[in-house]
Amino acid sequence: MSAGALRPIEWADGGVRLLDQRLLPAREQWLTCASVDAVAEAIRNMTVRGAPAIGITAAYGMALAAKRGEDLGAARRTLAATRPTAVNLFWALEQCARSPRQDAGGLLELARSLHDADVTTNRTLGALGARRLESGMGVVTHCNAGALATGGYGTALGVLFAAAEQGKQLHVYVEETRPRLQGARLTAWELARAGIPHTLVCDGMTASLMARGKIQAAVVGADRIAANGDTANKIGTYSLAVVARHHGVPFYVAAPKSTFDLALPDGRGIPIEERSPSEVFDWGGERTCPEATPVYNPAFDVTPAALIRALFTEAGEIESPTAAAVARVVGER
Amino acid sequence: MSAGALRPIEWADGGVRLLDQRLLPAREQWLTCASVDAVAEAIRNMTVRGAPAIGITAAYGMALAAKRGEDLGAARRTLAATRPTAVNLFWALEQCARSPRQDAGGLLELARSLHDADVTTNRTLGALGARRLESGMGVVTHCNAGALATGGYGTALGVLFAAAEQGKQLHVYVEETRPRLQGARLTAWELARAGIPHTLVCDGMTASLMARGKIQAAVVGADRIAANGDTANKIGTYSLAVVARHHGVPFYVAAPKSTFDLALPDGRGIPIEERSPSEVFDWGGERTCPEATPVYNPAFDVTPAALIRALFTEAGEIESPTAAAVARVVGER
């Protein structure tokens, strides 16, 4: 299958169809959400995850609410309460609220256009970012910012897919991404499907690969980017950025304009979701640590703009991001 | 139970008794190795692990060989072939080879004296290292360098136990330590037994804790230290050292003199064991990544001396380690 042809979100007569990402790579099973509550639960339990994918799913959720004659304000509140960090969710819900047509047809048309635009956006920013990569490079990525995390094609993986389409031979190091292993489960699955050479490593192995000269670039996605370029992404991203800086490896972020939250001057204002400790201690049903051991499980961290070499967006790249550089490319609030 | 009273290795009439560390924290089950082959397999499969513990186990293994009338040269080769990185194994086997008494009684006496000396050593270096810590500090550690990794008491955890004995109130952040989760399984278990406040985190979470000012020191053990202070330890240690440096958090290594390999001028000569990919991809019997995905699983990495604030040994501390500083405290080859 060609890289990025996958679309993990679909509208079906019965509701919103989602590829159940919790079951990958073992099983490719689709789940149909027939109510707004079901859509919200699918976002919350990570059947669908990834900032752009959550936004698109929520937009389809609003269309579903209209189709079922549900109260749109209540639907919006239900969807907004699912996950706090990815700003694309709130951006998509705002797009829906602003739609001149609040009927099912109008909202479905809007959701589809957001979905299609996201794929186009990813191809654009992917091609842009791929210019930074050359054959023979080792590239590390964290979590999953691929087709599965978006409407299709992907952001960080979009950069890698675009490089492959440009004929560049890369080797991708995939951080497994504890605790939920989206790297091992999802990114490796996408790269294997696309036939892109890759190696799975634990998150703590990347530094030693860099020390040995195996990695020339790091590319990740984003869940929310503040006006100065500070970037919230999956927990462990900041650690990767620090390690990259230490080794002089450029650290890139690929994200659509909808991931920017220009209302926040910097990353300190980004709400960080904390998830269940069981995501950390549960090991195939067994508890790895003693009952008495408390567990901390933040789902995201914030990478300061100063550690980011460039941000890739559909509107252009932002080199060495600052508030002024972000404003030039993404606009001001 | 008081901190560090645990001894995970025992001599019993039938052979070498080991607390099976693969089953912790769920079960405290002891395994008796009745032959040198069984001792070697227990080291290889990580029933017992941790550099000093491996060395002591190998010494008991040599006593067992003598007791059973096995060829001592063959026994030594079998034990030496188990795991390549921790130098304490080779150091202990050399102590055995040099023993004036090569009978069972003589070798058992030697093994017991190495065992007892290790515990004494750990209490000495622990008390030394604990002087760097103060009440109210957050301290992070990686893997397990506790009683379980040694003859008893522990090296890095010995520092924390000693701080607790000095009445210092610390909060320990325990990196779970992928892929084998010795932090979650073993370190959290030891800290819970000792009543020391702690929190389990994934390896990739520590950087964000440091950014938020939660951590004032990092303390780890070592598997082999080169003459210039470069330190091999569990994979992920180097990443932690880089992240600590970025945040100005002092990074300490606690290890007995037997962990130094003065024949190696620097860390480049330290052999790094690669273990089975299944340690990374196996998740309670399920494969997390696609069959087509290759996995890289080095068991150790090397932290350059330049990232280490001080080494704690039983012969004194080595501030900002260099070859000269190491030689002053540990001696020359």
Side-chain angles (χ1 to χ4, degrees), chain B residues 303-323:
Chain B
T303 298
L307 293 177
I308 299 168
R309 178 71 61 89
L311 293 162
F312 306 132
T313 80
E314 72 274 33
E317 58 194 355
I318 304 167
E319 184 89 21
S320 304
T322 59

Side-chain angles (χ1 to χ4, degrees), chain A residues 31-62:
Chain A
L31 184 88
T32 299
C33 302
S35 70
V36 170
D37 282 344
V39 171
E41 179 55 22
I43 294 173
R44 199 177 293 112
N45 70 23
M46 295 174 66
T47 300
V48 61
R49 27 63 55 201
I54 290 172
I56 293 160
T57 302
Y60 282 120
M62 290 302 295

Side-chain angles (χ1 to χ4, degrees), chain A residues 176 178 212 238 247 296, chain B residues 176 178 212 238 247 296:
Chain A
E176 63 172 6
R178 283 283 289 148
R212 288 167 44 214
Y238 171 53
H247 294 91
Y296 176 55
Chain B
E176 63 172 5
R178 282 286 287 150
R212 287 166 44 213
Y238 171 53
H247 294 91
Y296 177 54

Side-chain angles (χ1 to χ4, degrees), chain B residues 256-316:
Chain B
K257 284 167 63 178
S258 55
T259 300
F260 286 76
D261 183 354
L262 300 176
L264 296 180
D266 60 47
R268 286 173 299 182
I270 301 176
I272 300 296
E273 176 184 10
E274 287 189 28
R275 294 183 61 88
S276 166
S278 68
E279 292 188 344
V280 174
F281 70 68
D282 184 86
W283 193 270
E286 177 204 0
R287 186 180 171 114
T288 59
C289 68
E291 293 284 344
T293 294
V295 176
Y296 177 54
N297 185 24
F300 303 93
D301 57 26
V302 176
T303 298
L307 293 177
I308 299 168
R309 178 71 61 89
L311 293 162
F312 306 132
T313 80
E314 72 274 33

Side-chain angles (χ1 to χ4, degrees), chain A:
Chain A
M1 180 164 197
S2 79
L6 172 75
R7 288 192 175 205
I9 311 163
E10 288 178 0
W11 175 261
D13 282 343
V16 186
R17 283 188 81 225
L18 300 169
L19 178 56
D20 191 340
Q21 303 191 24
R22 299 168 304 172
L23 305 179
L24 291 173
R27 273 183 290 160
E28 296 182 32
Q29 185 173 306
W30 290 75
L31 184 88
T32 299
C33 302
S35 70
V36 170
D37 282 344
V39 171
E41 179 55 22
I43 294 173
R44 199 177 293 112
N45 70 23
M46 295 174 66
T47 300
V48 61
R49 27 63 55 201
I54 290 172
I56 293 160
T57 302
Y60 282 120
M62 290 302 295
L64 180 61
K67 178 168 175 278
R68 289 166 48 92
E70 295 185 35
D71 179 77
L72 294 185
R76 186 161 45 243
R77 286 188 294 276
T78 297
L79 292 165
T82 50
R83 298 194 68 195
T85 303
V87 78
N88 312 59
L89 170 64
F90 309 104
W91 174 86
L93 291 173
E94 195 178 328
Q95 300 299 109
C96 294
R98 285 182 182 178
S99 169
R101 288 181 55 198
Q102 293 290 310
D103 61 302
L107 287 171
L108 179 57
E109 198 174 298
L110 174 64
R112 285 188 159 135
S113 77
L114 294 178
H115 191 169
D116 290 342
D118 186 64
V119 179
T120 305
T121 281
N122 293 339
R123 290 193 172 272
T124 303
L125 66 84
L128 192 70
R131 299 190 310 187
R132 304 280 184 135
L133 305 179
E134 291 167 24
S135 274
M137 278 186 172
V139 182
V140 63
T141 189
H142 187 73
C143 195
N144 173 269
L148 292 169
T150 61
Y153 201 70
T155 52
L157 287 197
V159 171
L160 303 180
F161 292 147
E165 287 168 16
Q166 293 168 8
K168 293 171 179 168
Q169 307 288 324
L170 306 174
H171 193 94
V172 183
Y173 291 94
V174 179
E175 291 198 329
E176 63 172 6
T177 313
R178 283 283 289 148
R180 294 203 44 143
L181 301 171
Q182 294 96 333
R185 295 185 182 283
L186 308 179
T187 296
W189 182 76
E190 288 199 48
L191 293 172
R193 277 165 67 101
I196 294 179
H198 62 288
T199 301
L200 177 66
V201 294
C202 297
D203 304 341
M205 294 173 184
T206 301
S208 62
L209 287 166
M210 287 187 181
R212 288 167 44 214
K214 299 284 190 188
I215 295 175
Q216 284 69 46
V219 190
V220 300
D223 289 84
R224 191 185 300 217
I225 304 175
N228 72 337
D230 288 355
T231 294
N233 192 45
K234 180 55 50 194
I235 187 74
T237 301
Y238 171 53
S239 186
L240 176 60
V242 167
V243 162
R245 168 59 54 93
H246 183 80
H247 294 91
V249 169
F251 182 87
Y252 301 114
V253 175
K257 285 168 61 178
S258 55
T259 301
F260 286 76
D261 183 354
L262 300 175
L264 296 179
D266 60 47
R268 286 173 299 183
I270 300 176
I272 300 296
E273 176 184 10
E274 287 188 29
R275 294 184 62 88
S276 166
S278 68
E279 293 188 345
V280 174
F281 70 67
D282 184 86
W283 193 270
E286 179 205 359
R287 187 180 170 114
T288 59
C289 68
E291 293 283 344
T293 294
V295 177
Y296 176 55
N297 184 24
F300 304 93
D301 58 26
V302 176
T303 299
L307 293 177
I308 300 169
R309 179 71 61 88
L311 294 162
F312 306 133
T313 80
E314 71 274 32
E317 58 193 356
I318 304 167
E319 185 88 23
S320 305
T322 59
V326 168
R328 274 196 298 275
V329 172
V330 182
E332 301 193 49
R333 196 190 179 196

Side-chain angles (χ1 to χ4, degrees), chain B residues 95-165:
Chain B
Q95 301 297 112
C96 294
R98 287 183 182 176
S99 169
R101 289 180 57 197
Q102 293 290 311
D103 61 301
L107 287 171
L108 179 57
E109 199 173 297
L110 175 63
R112 284 189 161 136
S113 77
L114 294 179
H115 191 168
D116 289 343
D118 186 65
V119 179
T120 305
T121 282
N122 292 339
R123 289 193 172 272
T124 303
L125 67 84
L128 192 69
R131 298 189 310 187
R132 304 280 185 135
L133 305 178
E134 291 168 23
S135 274
M137 278 188 172
V139 182
V140 63
T141 189
H142 187 72
C143 196
N144 173 268
L148 292 169
T150 62
Y153 201 70
T155 52
L157 288 197
V159 172
L160 304 181
F161 292 147
E165 288 168 15

